[in-house]
Amino acid sequence: MLMNNYSRADVGFVRGDGAILWDDSGKDYIDFASGIGVCALGHSHKGVAKVIAKQAKTLLHTSNLYNIAPQTKLADKISNLLGGGYELFFANSGAEANECAIKLARKFGFSKGRKSEIISLKNSFHGRTIATLAMTGQDKFHPDEFGAYPDGFKFYDSIDDIIANLNENTAAVIIELVQGEGGINPLDKDKVQNLAKILNQKDILLITDEVQCGVYRTGEFVTSKLYDITPDIITFAKGLGNGVPISACATRKSIFSPGDHGSTFGGGFLVTAVSEYVLDKLDELKNSGKLDKIIAKFEKKIDKLIEENSDIFLKRVGIGLMQGVVLKDPNLLSQIVSKALENRVLILRSGDRTLRFLPPLNLSKKEMKEGFIRLNLAINKAKK
Ligand SMILES: Cc1ncc(COP(=O)(O)O)c(C=O)c1O
């Protein structure tokens, strides 16, 4: 029996193809969630399956005590995609990538004689380990029963407040450029650029948590590129492996020495070989201009959905294929998500009043059209 830590819908999927999933009774569903922004190339991608099979037949695990060729290759690839000059650490989940960022920031702060505080936004989400919960700004993630939380984390409501509260003990500031769990909230570009400039002047690290908004989700390899900033540390996960568990922490600062950090499984042969292939395919999608076209079409579809249901929807929020629709009445949120499931289209919620869309990045025209037809029906049922 499983622990009672998730509230699961009463459906189980047995097979997938692109943005389509089939449940155990043979019914098909259009997947506008791709896990939670994980399967960027869709389900059962033939090329991904091939890489997995090939690597499984060649070598799966040796430990990080020896060179792992696909890991080194992937590190160089990610650094190149970031414009060069980054060192990589690979782990297995977004929270672990952020744990690495916390240790980098603390060691950096220590080397400067600071108390090594890390500042985040109140509406942030950075993971479920005890330290990443402590770094998550939303109060609901700090219930007493999981205390005591590690100290060294401070939260503020806005970027202006963060800037006003930087002090001699600040080691780093961490932000999600598009907040994923606290409502789909893109941060203001001018404010982010101003923050980056001030942090640079004060020798404080800027960390962007791109676990959800990275890996082409917003149309560029990293959302930092859209914001024209060069963070000191960037964390990735979800879309990096199309479903195999891989995350990464990239830094421009050489901070760690051997023994400072590690992971038994992190950066193994299988996940790094898959991730390199996934990034190749996503690069192709971007460079061919297809990704931008899919984004434009998807945005149009959402705008139409909002127009046709202006009685319940307030506005579209988000960037690229990380989109949200804000509801006038938050009470309708669960109703729409569950009616969508009944009508066989998967969507997510974010915060307390936003529908969240994280479809595969290679979503076909047909899948998109069918998904929005089903969603419209579901919304009409939810309104009744
Ligand atoms: C921005 C952000 N950071 C960190 C995490 C934690 O990632 P994981 O669940 O892989 O540990 C998430 C997960 O939703 C996230 O959205």
Side-chain angles (χ1 to χ4, degrees), residues 253-271:
K253 309 263 178 194
S254 274
I255 293 169
F256 282 161
S257 313
D260 276 347
H261 199 44
S263 160
T264 296
F265 294 123
F269 287 88
L270 181 76
V271 293

Side-chain angles (χ1 to χ4, degrees), residues 93-95 98 125-127 176 181 209 211-212 238:
S93 66
N98 283 338
F125 181 78
H126 297 297
E176 297 158 85
E181 300 299 312
D209 176 344
V211 165
Q212 193 163 148
K238 297 181 180 289

Side-chain angles (χ1 to χ4, degrees), residues 58 78 118 127 131 181 186-187 191 251 266 268 290 304 328 342 377:
T58 312
I78 292 176
I118 299 176
E181 300 299 312
L187 303 186
K191 286 193 189 291
T251 184
K290 281 187 195 152
K304 190 157 171 258
K328 288 180 180 166
E342 267 175 52
L377 284 171

Side-chain angles (χ1 to χ4, degrees), residues 160-186:
D160 290 342
D161 286 352
I162 290 181
I163 292 171
N165 284 284
L166 297 171
N167 63 60
E168 68 285 358
N169 286 320
T170 315
V173 171
I174 183 166
I175 49 176
E176 297 158 85
L177 292 166
V178 184
Q179 291 177 332
E181 300 299 312
I184 301 293
N185 306 315

Side-chain angles (χ1 to χ4, degrees), residues 45-180:
H45 189 278
K46 288 193 176 54
V48 172
K50 236 180 179 171
V51 178
I52 291 175
K54 187 173 168 215
Q55 195 57 54
K57 283 187 215 157
T58 312
L59 189 58
L60 279 182
H61 183 83
T62 59
S63 91
N64 279 300
L65 297 174
Y66 313 101
N67 294 327
I68 298 174
Q71 183 185 124
T72 315
K73 243 175 118 187
L74 181 64
D76 292 344
K77 185 174 184 68
I78 292 176
S79 180
N80 287 338
L81 284 166
L82 292 172
Y86 282 83
E87 295 177 0
L88 271 292
F89 170 80
F90 292 104
N92 316 282
S93 66
E96 282 173 276
N98 283 338
E99 290 273 353
C100 175
I102 293 168
K103 284 175 78 175
L104 287 171
R106 288 189 169 188
K107 189 167 175 188
F108 170 82
F110 186 83
S111 74
K112 306 271 170 190
R114 302 176 197 163
K115 274 197 193 145
S116 286
E117 283 170 355
I118 299 176
I119 298 181
S120 60
L121 281 165
K122 275 220 174 116
N123 202 35
S124 59
F125 181 78
H126 297 297
R128 296 276 188 172
T129 60
I130 286 291
T132 55
L133 280 177
M135 187 162 73
T136 290
Q138 300 178 65
D139 280 343
K140 68 177 181 193
F141 287 104
H142 312 135
D144 288 345
E145 66 251 42
F146 297 131
Y149 297 92
D151 56 16
F153 300 100
K154 294 260 184 305
F155 326 107
Y156 297 101
D157 282 317
S158 66
I159 291 181
D160 290 342
D161 286 352
I162 290 181
I163 292 171
N165 284 284
L166 297 171
N167 63 60
E168 68 285 358
N169 286 320
T170 315
V173 171
I174 183 166
I175 49 176
E176 297 158 85
L177 292 166
V178 184
Q179 291 177 332

Side-chain angles (χ1 to χ4, degrees), residues 234-246:
I234 306 175
T235 56
F236 303 87
K238 297 181 180 289
L240 204 52
N242 212 64
V244 299
I246 178 167

